[in-house]
Amino acid sequence: MRIGSGTAVGKPISTFRILSSLHIFLNPMDNVKKSRTSARNKERKKTNSADPLQENNGPDVVCLGTTPITPSKRRARTNSTLEEGGPSTPLQSQPKSDFIDSNETERDPQVITSMEFHIPRHIELKFDELVVACYAFGRGLLEDEVLVHSLGIQGQRKAFMSLCPGKALADDVLTMVCSYLSQKQLMTENVEICFLPPDFSASLMTEDLTCQEALDKYQYSFMQISPQCSKVYIPMKDENDWFLLVVDLKSKEAIILQALYLDDRTSIREEAVKTMLTFLDKLAPLMCSWDGDIPKISEFHITKPIRNYSAFVREDSGAWVCQWMFRTELFDNYDVAYVDEGIRMKIAVRLLLSPYNINRATTLKLAHKFAQNCHHIIGHYYAARKEMEAIKDLITR
Amino acid sequence: MDQEPTHKFIHVKVVGQVSSLGGELEVFFRIKESTPLWKLMAAYCRRIGMYEVQDFAFIFDQRLLRPHQTPKQVHMEDGDVIDALLNQTGS
């Protein structure tokens, strides 16, 4: 939140003053409502003044719960309690249906009204994508729930939660991306790009993976390479920082793509890349589907990062790697301009609604059911989009 | 201005619009009288999702609340209601 900054504080005040005055003139009912609220507050002050709350230790602000109100419920409530004019009852003694404890809110999916990852308004989502996003990032839902299941790879909600801004990307997300793109490649006539999972590089660096073990483990899902294969993408991790190794078999070079350039780690990363290339050299002849000329991969020239990409935080490096891999579907370059919340959300939605996701129908069904409990989020999104489109119209007019 | 920090808590309710659906959403908070209101505003935005503090106008007794104000400064008391209106732009 940019609440501390001068612009954040100043901007709404000036715009609001004009808008609120307009709002009152244009909507007399709102004016009536506001004066009612004001009167309600004043009445409470009179009645509550003799009964101050006891002093208590704890955090400064605690959200105690949320009550979504439909217009009909609001009216009923207004008639029964708020407009009676009698002494207001202390909030703690109100009936449970009106006052939901925050802990209870987190346990019961029926009353969840917020998300771990707010949907950025600048991205365009279809209704299915929107409800699935709400379901994946709904606060308080089961972390172990499997949302994506594809070729033996399971993507749990906690893995998706790592796509939230400011969080380091979980290995599982990159594995799912590799699996998704590999299967997409398999649907084509010839597999031109091979995506190896992050697990592959990790086990090579830490456990002395043998060629046979690698084939047993990864060949079926990730190594269906054709003679036309031109590139191999391997996400690698170095000190919680992700970088992508692209082995270009045509131009005979190994390109290291890293979002966050760390000068002191360059030599270490190059060493890791050399180990990987040597291993690929041994592995290539054993691949059944490989019947073309096998180049000497270990002798490939290692290309330093083409340019410094603009990731400012280490946590973003994983999302950059995902974006580089997704980009190969459309372009033959690595010019990812930026990675923001919208791209992180898009990655999640794409994986959840992937046609290769066995759980797709189940997740979608549950998401639609869940959407009834978070209609205000969906409503806000559509309102924000409408507002943005109106602004765009004004600008272009 | 505020004299000295107080540790008294009050309960307030923030009532916000639910845009296109025409309904409203209530969020209940417990806040220290001496705590700046931006904490409550930020908590409300987190709870709602989608929006940031500057997207809302928080109204109490027909007055716009400023983030640096405290409940005590605006004479907020237990059970008071704050209206959260979405800042609207365009025609």
Side-chain angles (χ1 to χ4, degrees):
Chain A
M1 302 275 174
R2 287 169 288 147
I3 18 181
S5 67
T7 48
V9 176
K11 191 186 160 191
I13 295 165
S14 55
T15 49
F16 174 75
R17 273 187 180 163
I18 303 159
L19 287 168
S20 62
S21 56
L22 276 173
H23 196 66
I24 289 163
F25 283 120
L26 294 171
N27 302 304
M29 281 314 290
D30 280 5
N31 199 10
V32 171
K33 198 184 98 183
K34 271 184 201 168
S35 56
R36 275 183 193 165
T37 315
S38 170
R40 222 153 57 206
N41 288 336
K42 276 175 191 163
E43 245 171 72
R44 276 210 189 85
K45 273 171 203 166
K46 281 180 197 167
T47 51
N48 280 354
S49 56
D51 184 29
L53 282 176
Q54 287 181 346
E55 285 189 4
N56 201 351
N57 291 326
D60 294 351
V61 182
V62 181
C63 180
L64 296 163
T66 315
T67 315
I69 305 176
T70 57
S72 57
K73 193 180 171 187
R74 168 89 178 166
R75 273 198 297 276
R77 199 178 197 195
T78 307
N79 292 337
S80 63
T81 57
L82 296 179
E83 288 192 347
E84 275 173 8
S88 62
T89 49
L91 285 168
Q92 279 163 335
S93 64
Q94 281 188 5
K96 226 173 182 180
S97 59
D98 280 352
F99 202 80
I100 302 155
D101 186 63
S102 59
N103 296 329
E104 199 177 302
T105 307
E106 301 218 329
R107 277 199 301 274
D108 184 2
Q110 296 305 311
V111 289
I112 288 164
T113 50
S114 66
M115 293 169 70
E116 292 284 348
F117 183 1
H118 304 157
I119 300 169
R121 71 184 84 172
H122 65 273
I123 60 164
E124 198 177 336
L125 294 176
K126 291 170 189 162
F127 187 71
D128 275 356
E129 294 172 335
L130 196 59
V131 293
V132 158
C134 288
Y135 185 60
F137 296 105
R139 189 167 283 161
L141 292 172
L142 277 178
E143 283 199 338
D144 296 337
E145 188 181 342
V146 178
L147 300 174
V148 171
H149 189 201
S150 167
L151 279 181
I153 293 155
Q154 294 192 341
Q156 296 179 336
R157 182 173 278 109
K158 62 183 171 195
F160 281 94
M161 288 297 182
S162 71
L163 276 164
C164 296
K167 287 188 182 175
L169 198 74
D171 298 19
D172 286 354
V173 176
L174 277 165
T175 309
M176 280 187 276
V177 172
C178 289
S179 168
Y180 167 77
L181 292 169
S182 296
Q183 288 185 77
K184 211 167 180 187
Q185 285 286 317
L186 285 173
M187 295 295 131
T188 59
E189 207 172 315
N190 295 307
V191 177
E192 291 184 353
I193 303 167
C194 172
F195 298 91
L196 295 178
D199 189 30
F200 176 79
S201 61
S203 47
L204 176 68
M205 300 302 160
T206 54
E207 298 165 17
D208 290 334
L209 186 75
T210 63
C211 292
Q212 195 53 47
E213 282 169 355
L215 285 175
D216 292 346
K217 207 171 171 185
Y218 304 108
Q219 192 170 22
Y220 175 66
S221 307
F222 300 100
M223 291 182 186
Q224 303 281 336
I225 299 171
S226 73
Q228 282 76 27
C229 181
S230 60
K231 282 179 186 172
V232 182
Y233 282 64
I234 311 161
M236 296 176 80
K237 202 175 191 179
D238 170 44
E239 279 207 327
N240 298 323
D241 185 18
W242 288 101
F243 63 97
L244 184 67
L245 169 65
V246 183
V247 183
D248 195 326
L249 298 166
K250 278 185 181 167
S251 64
K252 298 192 176 176
E253 59 179 352
I255 304 157
I256 303 169
L257 295 170
Q258 49 188 357
L260 198 68
Y261 184 76
L262 299 168
D263 202 25
D264 57 326
R265 304 296 301 172
T266 309
S267 57
I268 298 164
R269 285 178 187 186
E270 276 187 27
E271 277 305 308
V273 167
K274 276 178 189 166
T275 314
M276 176 60 75
L277 294 179
T278 315
F279 185 73
L280 288 177
D281 231 358
K282 290 181 207 162
L283 194 66
L286 300 173
M287 287 185 197
C288 310
S289 52
W290 187 284
D291 54 359
D293 294 333
I294 303 167
K296 190 82 176 152
I297 299 173
S298 59
E299 288 173 5
F300 281 7
H301 174 64
I302 297 173
T303 310
K304 299 269 170 64
I306 300 165
R307 67 179 176 90
N308 290 337
Y309 293 96
S310 56
F312 298 114
V313 285
R314 179 166 281 183
E315 285 74 25
D316 275 346
S317 60
W320 276 82
V321 168
C322 288
Q323 194 60 9
W324 274 315
M325 290 199 284
F326 275 125
R327 193 179 168 81
T328 54
E329 289 182 294
L330 301 169
F331 306 104
D332 194 25
N333 60 40
Y334 313 105
D335 295 340
V336 174
Y338 63 92
V339 166
D340 65 352
E341 292 176 14
I343 285 173
R344 282 169 169 265
M345 180 61 85
K346 280 273 183 188
I347 292 170
V349 168
R350 205 163 177 183
L351 292 173
L352 287 160
L353 293 176
S354 147
Y356 317 115
N357 175 14
I358 300 167
N359 280 10
R360 184 181 190 268
T362 320
T363 306
L364 202 55
K365 196 177 166 186
L366 289 170
H368 275 282
K369 204 174 169 188
F370 179 75
Q372 294 162 3
N373 302 315
C374 52
H375 54 79
H376 66 287
I377 295 174
I378 294 165
H380 269 308
Y381 173 78
Y382 280 122
R385 290 289 306 170
K386 210 174 167 183
E387 194 179 293
M388 274 186 69
E389 277 162 24
I391 294 165
K392 267 185 200 170
D393 277 358
L394 272 176
I395 294 165
T396 52
R397 203 176 285 167
Chain B
M1 296 301 283
D2 215 1
Q3 294 89 23
E4 57 179 14
T6 165
H7 297 294
K8 202 178 114 183
F9 278 93
I10 56 166
H11 291 89
V12 293
K13 179 170 80 175
V14 182
V15 182
Q17 302 160 328
V18 190
S19 59
S20 56
L21 296 169
E24 286 181 347
L25 182 82
E26 291 179 344
V27 185
F28 296 92
F29 291 96
R30 189 183 72 150
I31 184 170
K32 262 186 203 169
E33 276 195 330
S34 56
T35 302
L37 284 163
W38 67 259
K39 289 193 178 182
L40 180 140
M41 295 171 183
Y44 177 76
C45 291
R46 274 202 303 275
R47 197 79 187 165
I48 290 288
M50 299 272 308
Y51 291 100
E52 293 188 23
V53 171
Q54 59 264 35
D55 294 336
F56 280 104
F58 292 90
I59 311 291
F60 174 66
D61 276 353
Q62 295 195 17
R63 281 198 306 265
L64 181 69
L65 292 176
R66 313 294 165 95
H68 63 270
Q69 289 177 319
T70 64
K72 196 167 188 177
Q73 283 172 353
V74 294
H75 309 294
M76 206 176 275
E77 289 181 6
D78 194 41
D80 277 348
V81 181
I82 299 169
D83 282 309
L85 303 176
L86 201 59
N87 273 339
Q88 291 174 2
T89 41
S91 54

